[in-house]
């Protein structure tokens, strides 16, 4: 049977924006980030390297990932692996840990690449939808029922949530860890926004017990604005490391050596950490409140996922002003009236976007604010 994969909705939108801007057109994306090119922070004499690194990555970069991306985790039996992007680590983990045809329970709303990665691994995605009116929290009894009914061998979720913007609480992580262990399933936590957190105490207080069925994935792309390097990291229990490394070596041999060296140089530079996005977050949350858009205030990452009444009409008006967006159903079928709003942009771009959005809202009689 032929495997049919869709083009990534988020990358497709980013590509459409880039193509339009090449022609000189003024066009915005409401749903994807705008990152600066950080090559200016790299000295001309950097040693890029053209030989392969060890299969688990450069030791110095693994140490930086441990103390940076994974700094809140105390998992002494887990090894840190450097991989060719978070996507490749997700694929390698689920492909080697589950039998072909197995099921992966994806916590929704979810990053759309999850379901495509699951299908690429010849597995079946099953979706556990959290509810906006419950603040997208993971309920213990509903999760247990989903695991029982699906027979899933893995649970996958993002933390902070993409697109929900939620940080999982300690109770939720305990639930995920316990229920997956009881079901004989693995737990895969995608923490690709771990350095972009607004509720810092909640984030640092929420960790799993050091179980061997827990896998933690992270990305240099979002946290350090290094998307083009295609570089990620993951924590894998040493008893499960060998098949994951073997799968990654089959795909890539090793994460690209130039990317690893560039990341080392940038992360060790004085300007390593990108801006906090606090001002952009405040502006976007204030706008959502003013428009009466029900939402969960972003606790981590740079997305907001509000409910927008008459969304189809609103998106048509956005497109007429050359503002492109992704509807909520991109992130799960149960969220068709939601909109992923990204504030991972310069403040000047956020203000320009909000000015246009305010004009559209003012001329839309069907958008009855506060409803």
């Amino acid at each position: 049977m032929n495997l049919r994969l869709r083009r990534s909705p988020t990358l497709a939108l980013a590509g459409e924006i880039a193509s339009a801007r090449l022609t000189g057109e003024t066009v915005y994306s409401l749903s994807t980030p705008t990152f600066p090119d950080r090559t200016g922070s790299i000295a001309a004499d950097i040693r890029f390297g053209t030989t392969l690194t060890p299969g688990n990555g450069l030791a110095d970069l693994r140490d930086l990932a441990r103390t940076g991306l994974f700094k809140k985790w105390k998992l002494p039996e887990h090894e840190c692996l450097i991989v060719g992007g978070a996507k490749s680590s997700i694929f390698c983990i689920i492909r080697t840990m589950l039998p072909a045809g197995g099921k992966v329970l994806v916590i929704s709303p979810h990053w759309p690449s999850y379901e495509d990665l699951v299908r690429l691994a010849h597995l079946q995605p099953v979706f556990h939808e959290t509810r906006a009116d419950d603040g997208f929290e993971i309920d213990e009894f509903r999760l247990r029922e989903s695991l029982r009914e699906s027979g899933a061998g893995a649970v996958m979720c993002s933390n902070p949530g993409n697109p929900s913007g939620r940080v999982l609480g300690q109770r939720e992580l305990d639930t995920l860890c316990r229920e997956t262990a009881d079901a004989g399933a693995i737990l895969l936590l995608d923490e690709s926004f771990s350095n972009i957190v607004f509720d810092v105490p909640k984030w640092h207080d929420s960790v799993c017990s050091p179980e061997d069925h827990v896998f933690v994935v992270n990305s240099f792309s979002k946290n350090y604005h290094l998307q083009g390097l295609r570089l990620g990291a993951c924590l894998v229990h040493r008893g499960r490391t060998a098949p994951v490394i073997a799968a990654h070596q089959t795909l890539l041999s090793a994460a690209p050596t130039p990317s690893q060296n560039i990341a080392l140089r940038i992360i060790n530079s004085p300007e390593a950490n990108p801006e906090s996005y606090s001002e952009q977050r405040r502006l976007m949350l204030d706008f959502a409140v003013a428009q009466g858009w029900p939402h969960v205030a972003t606790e981590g990452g740079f997305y907001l996922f509000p409910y927008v009444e008459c969304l189809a009409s609103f998106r048509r008006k956005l497109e007429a002003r050359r503002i492109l967006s992704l509807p909520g159903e991109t992130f799960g079928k149960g969220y068709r009236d939601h909109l992923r709003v990204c504030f991972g942009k310069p403040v000047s771009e956020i203000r320009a976007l909000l000015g246009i959005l305010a004009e559209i809202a003012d001329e839309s009689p069907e958008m009855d604010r506060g409803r």
Side-chain angles (χ1 to χ4, degrees):
M1 183 176 69
N2 291 333
L3 179 63
R4 295 185 178 181
L5 297 175
R6 61 181 176 171
R7 185 182 178 191
S8 165
T10 52
L11 292 179
L13 180 61
E16 187 175 352
I17 295 288
S19 296
R21 287 177 176 171
L22 283 175
T23 67
E25 183 180 1
T26 299
V27 59
Y28 295 102
S29 170
L30 186 61
S31 299
T32 54
T34 303
F35 289 151
D37 187 335
R38 305 198 67 198
T39 52
S41 62
I42 303 173
D45 62 350
I46 187 171
R47 182 180 179 275
F48 288 97
T50 57
T51 58
L52 283 175
T53 69
N56 58 355
L58 292 172
D60 288 349
L61 192 56
R62 283 186 276 122
D63 289 343
L64 278 179
R66 276 277 192 190
T67 59
L69 299 178
F70 300 119
K71 60 190 172 193
K72 77 171 186 175
W73 287 100
K74 303 295 187 292
L75 299 173
E77 298 300 314
H78 281 60
E79 295 184 26
C80 180
L81 313 179
I82 301 300
V83 291
K87 285 183 180 181
S88 68
S89 63
I90 292 171
F91 174 84
C92 291
I93 289 167
I94 60 177
R95 187 65 191 91
T96 57
M97 294 298 117
L98 275 68
K103 296 179 180 178
V104 177
L105 190 68
V106 178
I107 306 296
S108 295
H110 60 274
W111 183 38
S113 288
Y114 289 159
E115 55 187 283
D116 298 308
L117 286 165
V118 170
R119 291 191 176 97
L120 184 63
H122 293 281
L123 302 168
Q124 301 178 52
V126 182
F127 305 103
H128 176 86
E129 292 189 349
T130 57
R131 300 165 178 165
D133 54 2
D134 289 336
F136 300 116
E137 289 190 7
I138 298 173
D139 178 78
E140 173 184 355
F141 302 104
R142 289 188 62 238
L143 178 67
R144 185 180 304 153
E145 187 69 8
S146 290
L147 277 166
R148 185 188 66 79
E149 290 182 352
S150 67
V155 172
M156 184 189 309
C157 67
S158 57
N159 183 37
N162 173 9
S164 72
R166 284 198 67 246
V167 166
L168 296 176
Q170 183 62 60
R171 180 188 58 79
E172 291 171 285
L173 277 173
D174 286 342
T175 293
L176 285 165
C177 190
R178 182 180 62 254
E179 296 300 329
T180 49
D182 290 347
I186 67 168
L187 173 61
L188 196 159
L189 297 170
D190 177 3
E191 296 190 345
S192 291
F193 297 88
S194 61
N195 287 3
I196 309 169
V197 174
F198 303 100
D199 191 335
V200 176
K202 182 179 181 182
W203 171 254
H204 285 290
D205 289 345
S206 300
V207 293
C208 290
S209 55
E211 304 289 345
D212 67 351
H213 74 292
V214 175
F215 296 76
V216 188
V217 170
N218 213 312
S219 170
F220 294 94
S221 297
K222 301 297 189 299
N223 286 309
Y224 296 104
H225 294 176
L226 302 174
Q227 283 181 302
L229 297 187
R230 309 315 306 148
L231 206 59
C234 57
L235 295 178
V236 180
H237 190 275
R238 63 183 56 179
R240 300 183 183 238
T241 301
V244 176
I245 292 179
H248 187 258
Q249 287 183 319
T250 301
L251 291 173
L252 295 172
S253 294
T257 304
S259 293
Q260 294 190 63
N261 281 319
I262 292 170
L264 273 170
R265 185 59 177 263
I266 290 178
I267 294 170
N268 281 321
S269 68
E271 65 274 23
N273 292 315
E275 60 181 307
S276 67
Y277 294 113
S278 295
E279 176 66 5
Q280 293 94 321
R281 174 181 180 269
R282 182 190 66 79
L283 289 169
M284 198 60 78
L285 288 176
D286 286 350
F287 181 83
V289 170
Q291 299 306 316
W293 290 350
H295 64 281
V296 174
T298 305
E299 297 172 327
F302 40 59
Y303 296 116
L304 186 67
F305 200 53
Y307 171 88
V308 180
E309 194 156 2
C310 305
L311 178 61
S313 173
F314 185 60
R315 291 188 67 233
R316 285 194 296 270
K317 292 177 182 293
L318 288 176
E319 191 162 351
R321 301 289 193 96
R322 299 305 290 143
I323 298 177
L324 307 185
S325 62
L326 292 170
E329 61 191 354
T330 304
F331 308 93
K333 292 182 178 178
Y335 308 97
R336 63 184 303 272
D337 295 317
H338 289 255
L339 180 68
R340 188 174 84 162
V341 177
C342 178
F343 54 84
K345 307 171 184 293
V347 171
S348 58
E349 186 174 340
I350 292 292
R351 292 188 183 278
L353 270 171
L354 292 181
I356 301 172
L357 291 180
E359 292 174 4
I360 293 173
D362 287 341
E363 65 191 33
S364 302
E366 69 271 24
M367 293 184 65
D368 182 7
R369 297 182 191 178
R371 255 193 319 188

